[in-house]
């Protein structure tokens, strides 16, 4: 019998189950792994055990790398994506490390087996006109003045959410038009702040003292007067989008993605965008070139006379004329 996800619910053969149970006990007692983590390991390794039993294996030591590659192919055919298969392989790799340590197997067959590459999702991006409409909307109370300053800064400087909430009053140099942020890996970088964002920050600093004590160094404060949490920023941005009439769900990384895509579309300078975003690897930044190409392809489809649809019955692009 199988679950709706295609995983067996029958008990494992005793030869497989006893070793797996000892492994889970090892994770829980020696490694102090959380109960949910242990449950995931048990489920993923048990699925491999059922596969081996169906294919005539009677213990864990019979598994070799080629068997495991065939198992990966079966997971893929069952509809699992690259990330899910990588998680399965991670559990199997760790299980066999344990078996090697316990001298129940000679080597780990999962060491050289890799999951198929997961398809990288393109980030969502708001168009320029919508960003203008949302950021030009009026702020009706001190909290909305704060919100607009935050959202202007996210879009103006391409900040991560963690970078935004980590800002202190001393992080912003209004004279130079710069903000100093602490990014991933505690790497510090200085990025420019646009004119509209500086104006919004000035408006916020004018009312900030009404929310917080003088000895609070955080740039953005909650209603209680302490540093604003990441979750609060997410909720306030979502609320702002609903109130101001956004045509898509707003979240902090959408503003960062929009910053990068709009800047790359205008400048074409991938290295500069990489520096501004604080990416260690330019390959991370290159995803925005795909977004830019999608925009160009859309313009082409709508504008080029040789790309227009000939008739309702022919919906394909005329690519070879």
């Amino acid at each position: 019998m199988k679950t709706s996800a295609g995983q067996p619910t029958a008990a494992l053969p005793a030869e497989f189950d006893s070793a797996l149970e000892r492994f889970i006990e090892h994770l829980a007692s020696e490694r102090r792994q959380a109960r949910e983590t242990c449950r995931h390991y048990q489920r993923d390794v048990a699925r491999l055990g059922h596969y081996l039993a169906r294919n005539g294996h009677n213990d864990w030591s019979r598994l070799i790398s080629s068997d495991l590659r065939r198992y990966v192919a079966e997971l893929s055919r069952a509809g699992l994506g690259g990330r899910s298969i990588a998680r399965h392989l991670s559990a199997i790799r760790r299980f066999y490390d344990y078996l090697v340590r316990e001298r129940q197997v000679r080597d780990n067959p999962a060491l050289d087996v890799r999951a198929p590459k997961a398809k990288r999702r393109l980030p969502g991006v708001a168009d320029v006109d919508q960003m203008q409409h949302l950021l030009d909307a009026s702020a009706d109370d001190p909290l909305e003045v704060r919100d607009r300053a935050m959202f202007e800064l996210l879009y103006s400087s391409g900040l991560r959410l963690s970078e935004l909430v980590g800002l202190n009053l001393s992080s912003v140099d209004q004279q130079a038009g710069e903000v100093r942020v602490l990014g991933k890996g505690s790497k510090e970088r200085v990025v420019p702040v646009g004119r509209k964002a500086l104006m919004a920050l000035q408006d916020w600093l004018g009312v900030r003292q009404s929310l917080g004590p003088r000895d609070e160094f955080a740039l953005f404060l909650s209603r209680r007067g302490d540093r604003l949490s990441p979750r609060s920023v997410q909720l306030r941005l979502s609320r702002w989008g609903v109130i101001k009439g956004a045509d898509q769900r707003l979240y902090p990384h959408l503003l960062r993605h929009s910053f990068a895509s709009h800047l790359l579309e205008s400048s074409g300078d991938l290295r500069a965008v990489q520096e501004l975003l604080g990416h260690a690897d330019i390959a991370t930044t290159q995803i925005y070139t795909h977004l830019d190409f999608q925009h160009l392809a859309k313009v082409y489809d709508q504008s080029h006379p040789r790309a227009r649809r000939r008739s309702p019955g022919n919906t394909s692009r005329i690519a070879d004329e």
Side-chain angles (χ1 to χ4, degrees), residues 1-186:
M1 188 170 74
K2 293 185 179 181
T3 67
S4 59
Q7 296 186 38
T9 57
L12 271 174
E15 297 84 352
F16 292 104
D17 194 45
S18 58
L20 177 55
E21 288 298 326
R22 289 195 299 272
F23 170 62
I24 298 303
E25 290 174 9
H26 159 75
L27 290 179
S29 60
E30 294 184 39
R31 295 295 183 180
R32 306 287 184 184
Q33 296 287 347
R35 181 181 301 176
E36 190 68 11
T37 302
C38 293
R39 190 177 70 83
H40 286 310
Y41 274 108
Q42 186 163 29
R43 180 193 61 197
D44 291 347
V45 177
R47 186 166 182 171
L48 173 65
H50 283 285
Y51 170 81
L52 292 176
R54 289 198 310 272
N55 286 274
H57 296 305
N58 55 17
D59 62 63
W60 295 109
S61 65
R62 297 287 302 276
L63 181 69
I64 59 177
S65 295
S66 58
D67 295 325
L68 191 54
R69 290 190 178 92
R70 283 191 287 271
Y71 175 64
V72 166
E74 180 174 288
L75 292 178
S76 182
R77 287 193 296 271
L80 272 69
R83 292 180 188 274
S84 296
I85 294 175
R87 190 201 68 221
H88 275 72
L89 285 174
S90 177
I92 294 165
R93 204 170 289 119
R94 191 164 182 179
F95 174 57
Y96 271 88
D97 280 341
Y98 167 77
L99 294 181
V100 170
R101 194 194 78 168
E102 297 296 307
R103 298 184 179 179
Q104 295 185 32
V105 300
R106 294 181 60 182
D107 51 34
N108 188 335
L111 291 179
D112 297 323
V113 179
R114 296 289 178 265
K117 286 188 176 181
K119 291 182 179 179
R120 193 167 190 182
R121 295 179 181 176
L122 294 178
V125 171
D127 63 48
V128 175
D129 290 339
Q130 180 173 203
M131 290 305 306
Q132 296 278 17
H133 168 73
L134 291 170
L135 296 176
D136 286 343
S138 61
D140 300 324
D141 58 53
L143 292 180
E144 286 199 352
V145 171
R146 177 205 63 192
D147 292 348
R148 186 169 64 182
M150 292 191 304
F151 308 152
E152 282 277 12
L153 196 52
L154 284 171
Y155 178 59
S156 167
S157 303
L159 302 188
R160 299 179 177 95
L161 176 57
S162 60
E163 295 169 349
L164 179 84
V165 298
L167 293 176
N168 293 323
L169 288 168
S170 59
S171 303
V172 180
D173 185 339
Q174 294 190 70
Q175 289 294 111
E178 296 173 345
V179 62
R180 187 177 298 273
V181 300
L182 193 64
K184 288 185 176 180
S186 297

